[in-house]
Amino acid sequence: MYRRKMKKASIDMSKITEFLNQLYVEKPLFPLVIPLLLVLWSIEKWVFNLSNWVPLAVAVWATVQYGSYRQRIVVQDLNKKWKQLILQTSPTTPLEHCEWLNKLLIEVWPNFISPKLSLKFSSIVEKRLKHRKTKLIVTVLVQERIELQEFSLGSCPPIFGMHGAQWSTAGDQRFIRMGFDWDTTDISIMLFTKLAKPMGTARIVVNNIHIKGDLLISPILDGKAVLYSFVSTPEVRIGVAFGSGGSQSLPATELPGVSSWLVKICYDTLNKTMVEPRRRCLALPPVDLRKKAVGGVLHVTVVSAGKLSRNSFKGSSTTTSTSDGYGQENHHDMGKDFHTFVEVELEDLTRRTLEVAGPNPTWDSTFNMVLHDDAGILKFNLYESCPDNVNYDHLASCEIKLRYCTDDSTIFWAVGEESGVIAKHAEFCGKEVEMVVPFESINSAKLKVKLTLKEWQFSDGLHTLSGSQLSSRGSQFGSTSNFQPRTGRKIYITVVEGKELLEKDKSGKSYVKLQYGKTIQRTRGATNASQPSWTQKFEFEEISDGEYLKVKCYNEDIFGDENIGGARVNLEGLVDGVVRDVWIPLEKVKKGEVRLQIEAVTIDDFEGSKGSQGGLIELVLIEGRDLVAADIRGTSDPYVRVQYGNLKRRTKVMFKTLSPQWHQTFEFPDDGSLLALHVKDHNALLPTSSIGDCIVEYQRLAPNEMSDKWIPLQGVKRGEIHVQVTRKVPQLQKKVSDSESPSSRGHKISGQMKQMMMKIRSLIEDENLEEVSSSLTELESLHEVEEECIIQLETEQMLLLNKINELGQEIINSSPSLSRRSSSN
């Protein structure tokens, strides 16, 4: 207990030491106090007594000094807090210099920032070039776009805040405003173009650029992201040359209009993406999972709107109203005749709500939307529908942007009231985010929406654009080939069903056409045009350059099939053996979705897995059971039409049965084609009707292995087909070596190689590079077999010569006369 009291009573020596040090700095003469005290002590000892008042004076002096020291500490703390308060509450702070930022940027720009930004902006430029054309410039590629061959921002960084930077406040949001000046001749952007006749082709080289403007930068979500934009449209100048660059380039005046065309593209891109109030987002996640998002599925719910007024949309403020919160405003000029709806836009995909009357409409309409990138812009257009007019009046619009973050989260942001910022963060897929966004230029009217990012689709890395790939994509001869590289995987796409494809009062058969690369396949026509069901499976060879699957829906008509919508499906990032079941919303139509099941399968690399030379597919159609009754009597007259690539066969008709017995065998050359069975009901007078389809999988069968299985029929409620399928792959090398001499085999292979060379020449003349590639592969295999024949012939020749020598020696040894002659010689 005594020790605890002593600890409490003890003096904090650190504080005393800090006080003495501070006192020594402020009072350099303080060390003279000690000799002075010694003098006073001597006086008090030998002259007269000072012990009564000297200690009191010293204590008073020390107390005054310590009090002034504490007062200075408090004043410094108050000054710091005051400066911080002024910084946070002042609408504008003084200018601050940015020399340190520009010096740092010079060091890190060439090797770190420039390569990353070059890769990022190259994809943006490519997307913009797809939708831009001029009269003098036409496209090289089949897709009618200019080809980007090289993109590099160089080693010269932009200059930030040449005249300083300052913070400003708009509502609750803080902004930093600084100048941006980028004037560089080190940039290298090369475009390959095909010019209008008779000018031929040319390479456009952008070798200098100058962009100057004022930037606004704002941190959001507690520093998890930064928004940036230009205050107004910046000044842009672009220098253009022709040729391969350097001293060999021609001036831009050789082709008038190109420089202004590129400047217009740059102006349009900046105005639509990062000029106030449109802002871009830079995410700063704490974790980087290093995954590249290539698409996503988004559910958008348009909930309601509040404080709508005709006069406010027309720019008038004469409407009197009373408000008691969001969505609780009563306008005397708003009646039941004021009907509004919202149209949601995401790229080429549009959906619209129902029409609702009143100033505070509630829709609660949910839409399935698809992203084709790691970011997107949702645009909400508000329309008024007039009962006496077929046209709609556009009242206002607002935007919500979203972006994928590398920690698997999603950021949503929009422009708030008085140019403020509304930002939300969804930490994981499936989390619902609610936002109340004001319409542009009309802060009184607001729209309430709910957003849910259901899933992000990621690239598997094979299709990710890299700098080397970007610079090597151009053709050495100034044109691109039709060759599309394959990955060796098969993609199986099942078109299951559709919904809301047509209005309920329309009739007819609808079908779906699929295009992947140059391969086009289509489903059969389904009778229920509004809610059709197909359940048909198709096979494609996967293409390695990120090719989209194009889906188009049609309604059959006597005067021509009607296009009822289309869509694009990104097939990147598919996992082997995992079926992706997804509803695809149709683009450029008001509604309609198609359900697809997508699966990627890697075919095993055993002999004959992709078709074998001389191999056969043997299919035995045994029987069927529980088939659908197609006749009025409750029976069917079933037969099977077999389709293998372009080859078609059919079985005999089994009359009046739902369990037919065929027991028929068919053989096809093994070339890897799709093997499909179409079960039909035979009619003598009327057209045949379908009672089911199925696909026979044989690609993953081992050579000469038979598979016996029942296959359920697709497109119908019930029914199965019993089949046996075998891949007959002869052992060519072993069988030929036993029954065929190497010389005749070599002559045969030589003839095949000559025919293959003639075929390759004709394919080159026809510019069919895909077939050329496969023919070259076959030629290489024939060359390898020929080398084996040559080695075998040389071996047999050596064995034959040795055998002749041995026989000759035996003859000489067995004949005495010959042996004496040989010895005498």
Side-chain angles (χ1 to χ4, degrees), residues 227 324 419 518 543 617 752:
L227 299 182
D324 55 355
S419 299
K518 294 185 177 180
I543 301 173
I617 298 298
Q752 292 177 356

Side-chain angles (χ1 to χ4, degrees), residues 79-146:
N79 287 335
K80 289 180 180 179
K81 292 180 179 179
W82 177 252
K83 289 180 180 180
Q84 190 173 7
L85 180 64
I86 291 297
L87 183 64
Q88 293 177 352
T89 58
S90 176
T92 304
T93 61
L95 287 174
E96 301 175 11
H97 297 289
C98 298
E99 286 87 353
W100 64 272
L101 177 60
N102 294 314
K103 289 182 179 179
L104 178 63
L105 199 59
I106 291 174
E107 297 295 329
V108 300
W109 176 270
N111 298 322
F112 182 75
I113 298 180
S114 179
K116 288 183 175 294
L117 290 182
S118 299
L119 184 62
K120 183 178 182 63
F121 284 115
S122 63
S123 61
I124 297 175
V125 170
E126 280 189 317
K127 291 179 182 178
R128 296 296 300 168
L129 289 176
K130 288 181 182 180
H131 307 288
R132 288 285 177 179
K133 292 187 291 185
T134 66
K135 295 181 180 179
L136 292 176
I137 300 180
V138 296
T139 57
V140 178
L141 303 178
V142 178
Q143 293 86 353
E144 296 187 355
R145 63 182 177 89
I146 294 177

Side-chain angles (χ1 to χ4, degrees), residues 466-473:
S466 63
S468 59
Q469 291 173 332
L470 179 64
S471 60
S472 64
R473 273 189 291 174

Side-chain angles (χ1 to χ4, degrees), residues 18 77 249 263 284 548 603 713 769 820:
E18 182 181 359
D77 291 340
S249 301
V263 170
L284 303 172
Y548 281 102
I603 305 299
L713 296 177
L769 297 185
R820 286 195 299 267

Side-chain angles (χ1 to χ4, degrees), residues 493-499 501 509-515 520-526 529 532-536 538 540 549-556 561-567 569 584 586 593-596:
I493 298 174
T494 303
V495 183
V496 183
E497 57 182 325
K499 62 181 179 182
L501 296 188
K509 289 186 177 182
S510 58
Y511 65 91
V512 177
K513 185 181 291 185
L514 303 177
Q515 180 178 356
I520 299 176
Q521 302 195 53
R522 57 159 287 178
T523 66
R524 64 178 182 276
S533 177
W534 298 283
T535 319
Q536 286 188 257
F538 302 95
F540 298 92
L549 171 70
K550 298 176 182 178
V551 181
K552 293 184 178 180
C553 298
Y554 294 90
N555 184 39
E556 294 180 353
D561 296 346
E562 176 190 2
N563 187 351
I564 55 176
V569 182
I584 305 298
L586 300 181
E593 296 183 37
V594 174
R595 181 185 173 193
L596 301 180

